């Protein structure tokens, strides 16, 4: 038989699909007829930019080898069951994995510490003891140092170190929670912090990690701050009279007296009605009636402490204003009694009546003084009730 006849005879029994059955066979074994022989595009455009695209089918829309292997594995696991099962079919559920940054999120170890600051060129103090709080975050091994703010301390307090990883040595290592304990010195950027105590959560966290902390230590007291709390020695004898207590108890309470001012020095020799207010100081107001022709300035003497008796002076005084060191006695409520004449700044005032509050005040504090009103003749007709309580 000739060679070309042998090839023709051989091809009559075998076809191309017998040697490559995956070309015309589908994934599930069905026979597929090719209708397209083009290759899928591996490049696409989106918003004007060329983007690569991984083809999912091959030439002629046939599935790729990788896709067929995946589909065969799915079919094998879905439709084929094992012939024999070893052990119990029940399996305990696996524990959910939680990463460390989720477990330790928002958790901080708090230590109490202090550092000493040298003070130069100051005779009152040599050093200061400044307490701080050190926060350690096990989530990322960062640290944060904060100093409590004290009002009017004159020091720059608050945040001393923002949250960051603190270097431990020159080899690039950083502080970890294993390096922290009580009673040790922690050097942070040249400042030595001495750790004295910690909170309860920090102690339990360290015990859970197998670390036993040292015994807590007391924080030393700042000598200068302690000296400020002590009472300074006084070189003068304190007064037994508490003026602050008098102001707080008698504030807003006014003793009001109605009097007649015998102005004998004027040409008309008129007798005017006045109101005397006694606070902690004395004030004199003149009462003007309608169309009285007087100047519209009713205050005869402004509110002030009025001296009653001056200390004897060895020489004549040429000072217009009298200081408190020159006064021996001031006017008090005992010097004002209804029916008597009181002399204020060289002018006589006849007290003929007072208001209800003043009368009750004298009945409580000075019951021996009689405060009954007297009948007087006034040249100026003034309604007394309209001026009661007006200041």
């Amino acid at each position: 038989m000739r060679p070309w006849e042998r090839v023709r005879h051989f091809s009559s029994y075998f076809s191309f699909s017998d040697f490559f059955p995956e070309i015309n066979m589908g994934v599930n074994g069905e026979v597929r007829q090719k209708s397209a022989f083009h290759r899928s595009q591996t490049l696409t455009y989106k918003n004007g930019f060329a983007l690569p695209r991984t083809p999912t089918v091959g030439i002629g829309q046939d599935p790729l080898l990788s896709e067929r292997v995946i589909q065969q594995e799915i079919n094998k696991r879905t439709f084929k069951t094992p012939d024999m099962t070893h052990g119990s079919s029940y399996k305990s559920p696996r524990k959910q994995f939680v990463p460390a940054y989720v477990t330790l999120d928002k958790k901080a170890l708090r230590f109490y510490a202090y550092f000493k600051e040298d003070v130069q060129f100051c005779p009152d103090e040599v050093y200061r003891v400044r307490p701080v709080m050190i926060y350690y975050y096990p989530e990322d091994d960062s640290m944060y140092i904060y100093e409590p703010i004290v009002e009017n301390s004159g020091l720059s307090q608050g945040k001393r170190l923002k949250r960051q990883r603190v270097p431990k040595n020159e080899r690039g290592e950083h502080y970890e929670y294993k390096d922290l304990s009580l009673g040790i010195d922690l050097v942070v950027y040249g400042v030595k912090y001495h750790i004295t105590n910690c909170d309860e959560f920090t102690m339990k966290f360290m015990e859970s990690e197998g670390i036993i902390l040292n015994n807590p230590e007391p924080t030393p007291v700042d000598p200068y701050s302690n000296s400020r709390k002590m009472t300074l020695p006084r070189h003068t004898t304190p007064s037994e009279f508490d003026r602050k207590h008098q102001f707080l108890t008698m504030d807003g309470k006014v003793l009001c007296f109605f009097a007649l001012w015998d102005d004998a020095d004027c040409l008309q020799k008129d007798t005017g009605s006045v109101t005397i207010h006694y606070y902690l100081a004395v004030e004199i107001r003149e009462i003007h009636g309608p169309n009285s022709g007087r100047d519209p300035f009713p205050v005869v003497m402004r509110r002030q402490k009025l001296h009653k008796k001056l200390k004897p002076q060895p020489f004549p005084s040429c000072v217009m204003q009298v200081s408190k060191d020159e006064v021996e006695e001031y006017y008090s409520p005992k010097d004002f009694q209804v029916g008597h004449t009181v002399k204020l700044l060289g002018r006589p005032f006849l007290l003929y009546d007072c208001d209800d509050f003043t009368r009750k005040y004298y009945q409580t504090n000075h019951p021996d003084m009689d405060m009954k009103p007297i009948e007087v003749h006034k040249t100026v007709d003034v309604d007394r009730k309209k001026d009661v309580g007006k200041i």
Side-chain angles (χ1 to χ4, degrees):
M1 184 178 295
R2 297 175 181 177
W4 57 84
E5 293 180 353
R6 294 179 181 176
V7 175
R8 186 183 303 170
H9 179 72
F10 179 78
S11 61
S12 61
Y13 293 97
F14 299 96
S15 63
F16 187 77
S17 60
D18 295 335
F19 295 96
F20 302 95
E22 65 278 2
I23 296 179
N24 292 329
M25 299 298 292
V27 178
N28 297 327
E30 70 277 4
V31 179
R32 297 179 56 187
Q33 297 292 334
K34 289 185 179 181
S35 60
F37 298 92
H38 64 276
R39 185 177 181 181
S40 301
Q41 295 289 338
T42 60
L43 188 66
T44 183
Y45 285 87
K46 186 175 182 180
N47 297 331
F49 294 93
L51 301 176
R53 183 177 62 182
T54 304
T56 57
V57 294
I59 300 176
Q61 301 297 323
D62 292 337
L64 298 176
L65 179 61
S66 59
E67 297 292 335
R68 292 200 303 271
V69 172
I70 295 174
Q71 188 64 32
Q72 290 175 4
E73 290 293 331
I74 294 174
N75 295 338
K76 184 186 299 184
R77 296 178 181 274
T78 303
F79 301 102
K80 190 173 181 179
T81 57
D83 298 335
M84 183 178 297
T85 304
H86 298 276
S88 175
S89 60
Y90 173 76
K91 295 183 179 180
S92 60
R94 295 182 179 180
K95 294 182 179 180
Q96 185 179 4
F97 173 73
V98 181
Y101 65 87
V102 177
T103 306
L104 302 176
D105 185 27
K106 297 181 180 179
K107 293 183 179 180
L109 309 181
R110 181 169 60 178
F111 295 90
Y112 300 97
Y114 71 91
F115 70 98
K116 291 185 178 182
E117 181 183 17
D118 296 334
V119 179
Q120 300 179 355
F121 311 109
C122 182
D124 298 332
E125 53 181 341
V126 180
Y127 64 92
R128 296 191 186 102
V129 178
R130 303 176 63 174
V132 296
M133 290 185 293
I134 301 176
Y135 293 89
Y136 177 84
Y137 299 90
E139 172 189 358
D140 54 356
D141 297 332
S142 60
M143 298 178 66
Y144 169 74
I145 301 179
Y146 175 80
E147 182 180 3
I149 299 177
V150 180
E151 295 183 358
N152 300 326
S153 63
L155 302 176
S156 178
Q157 298 173 328
K159 184 189 297 184
R160 293 190 55 84
L161 178 69
K162 66 178 182 179
R163 182 175 174 179
Q164 58 181 289
R165 298 183 68 185
V166 180
K168 182 172 59 174
N169 49 36
E170 298 179 355
R171 296 189 296 271
E173 299 178 355
H174 296 82
Y175 281 108
E176 300 180 355
Y177 68 92
K178 300 177 182 179
D179 302 323
L180 303 178
S181 183
L182 304 183
I184 65 172
D185 293 333
L186 184 69
V187 181
V188 178
Y189 295 114
V191 181
K192 184 185 295 184
Y193 298 94
H194 188 76
I195 303 177
T196 58
N197 205 345
C198 65
D199 57 3
E200 185 178 358
F201 172 77
T202 304
M203 189 173 298
K204 292 182 179 179
F205 179 85
M206 289 296 190
E207 291 178 356
S208 64
E209 297 295 331
I211 300 175
I212 299 177
L213 299 177
N214 301 328
N215 296 327
E217 300 178 359
T219 302
V221 181
D222 185 16
Y224 180 72
S225 301
N226 192 23
S227 64
R228 292 290 301 271
K229 298 179 181 179
M230 300 175 59
T231 304
L232 298 178
R234 296 182 178 180
H235 301 283
T236 58
T237 304
S239 175
E240 298 179 356
F241 182 73
D242 191 356
R243 299 186 180 275
K244 183 178 180 182
H245 175 73
Q246 179 186 9
F247 175 77
L248 295 177
T249 55
M250 302 300 294
D251 183 31
K253 299 179 181 180
V254 183
L255 305 181
C256 181
F257 298 92
F258 304 102
L260 294 178
W261 177 19
D262 188 6
D263 195 358
D265 296 335
C266 66
L267 296 177
Q268 293 81 8
K269 296 184 179 181
D270 190 11
T271 302
S273 298
V274 297
T275 302
I276 300 177
H277 293 154
Y278 185 90
Y279 309 82
L280 297 177
V282 182
E283 179 187 65
I284 302 176
R285 286 177 173 266
E286 187 176 2
I287 301 175
H288 292 168
N291 300 325
S292 62
R294 297 179 180 272
D295 294 333
F297 302 102
V299 179
V300 179
M301 186 186 73
R302 64 179 177 85
R303 179 177 174 179
Q304 59 180 319
K305 295 185 68 175
L306 189 61
H307 61 273
K308 180 180 179 181
K309 185 179 180 181
L310 298 177
K311 295 180 181 179
Q313 299 292 335
F315 53 89
S317 177
C318 60
V319 181
M320 298 297 295
Q321 295 183 355
V322 180
S323 63
K324 62 180 181 179
D325 297 333
E326 300 174 358
V327 178
E328 184 176 351
E329 184 182 0
Y330 287 98
Y331 276 98
S332 64
K334 294 181 180 180
D335 300 322
F336 296 89
Q337 185 176 0
V338 177
H340 290 70
T341 301
V342 59
K343 201 168 185 180
L344 306 177
L345 296 179
R347 296 172 176 85
F349 294 92
L350 175 61
L351 307 180
Y352 63 87
D353 200 359
C354 63
D355 59 358
D356 295 336
F357 171 78
T358 305
R359 191 174 289 105
K360 292 179 181 179
Y361 173 82
Y362 277 90
Q363 290 177 359
T364 304
N365 298 276
H366 305 283
D368 54 335
M369 297 180 63
D370 188 10
M371 303 299 291
K372 293 182 180 180
I374 61 175
E375 295 291 337
V376 294
H377 176 69
K378 297 179 291 182
T379 58
V380 181
D381 188 11
V382 180
D383 189 0
R384 185 179 59 194
K385 296 182 181 180
K386 294 183 180 179
D387 297 311
V388 175
K390 293 184 179 180
I391 300 174

